[in-house]
Amino acid sequence: MNPDRTTPELHHPIPFNPVPAPLPVVPAGGAPEVTTIVLPDGRTVTGYTVPAAQPAPLTVKPPVSRAAVNIALGGIGFAAVCGGLFLLTAFITALTAFITQLVILAAVIFGGWIAVQVFGHRDHASGTTVNIRKATFKRNHFHG
């Protein structure tokens, strides 16, 4: 701008030559087809046909989802472990039955030994015999 600001400074745009568009690639089979269209107002437009845009191909989904595969593999693993768990529970059950039979056998043997000691025939020579001869019972009391 001018320092005195009395006369405005005009700027005129300078036209430039645009870069020409690249030529369309001609396929090896020959030149692309040229189409002419007549508009309703009588104008004629001529140009190359533009092929329709092809949508991007869809990604192919696997027939089974990964989550389903993981769940199935987990089920197979669980089924494999269940056999071992079944054997473990069978072992614990058998061990419990064995210990129960040992306790019953010990009770029978020990109980039989006690029964023989209590009810068995005693040799009188080894025991103490007490003869009560002058015992007196008065009013349900024993006076010896």
Side-chain angles (χ1 to χ4, degrees):
M1 205 162 189
N2 279 341
D4 61 355
R5 295 180 191 244
T6 55
T7 57
E9 190 175 312
L10 297 175
H11 291 282
H12 298 287
I14 302 171
F16 63 95
N17 293 332
V19 178
L23 296 174
V25 178
V26 178
E33 183 180 337
V34 177
T35 304
T36 301
I37 299 174
V38 178
L39 298 176
D41 61 357
R43 292 181 294 161
T44 304
V45 179
T46 303
Y48 294 104
T49 57
V50 178
Q54 297 292 329
L58 297 175
T59 57
V60 178
K61 286 187 174 183
V64 179
S65 69
R66 292 180 60 85
V69 170
N70 289 339
I71 291 171
L73 289 176
I76 291 171
F78 182 73
V81 169
C82 282
L85 290 176
F86 179 72
L87 291 177
L88 180 64
T89 55
F91 173 75
I92 291 172
T93 304
L95 184 63
T96 304
F98 178 70
I99 291 172
T100 304
Q101 289 177 353
L102 285 181
V103 169
I104 291 172
L105 179 65
V108 167
I109 292 174
F110 187 68
W113 182 77
I114 290 176
V116 168
Q117 296 299 319
V118 170
F119 299 114
H121 178 60
R122 286 193 170 169
D123 189 14
H124 291 289
S126 65
T128 304
T129 303
V130 178
N131 294 321
I132 302 173
R133 293 186 182 174
K134 296 181 180 177
T136 309
F137 289 93
K138 293 183 178 177
R139 295 184 189 150
N140 295 328
H141 291 290
F142 173 77
H143 297 281

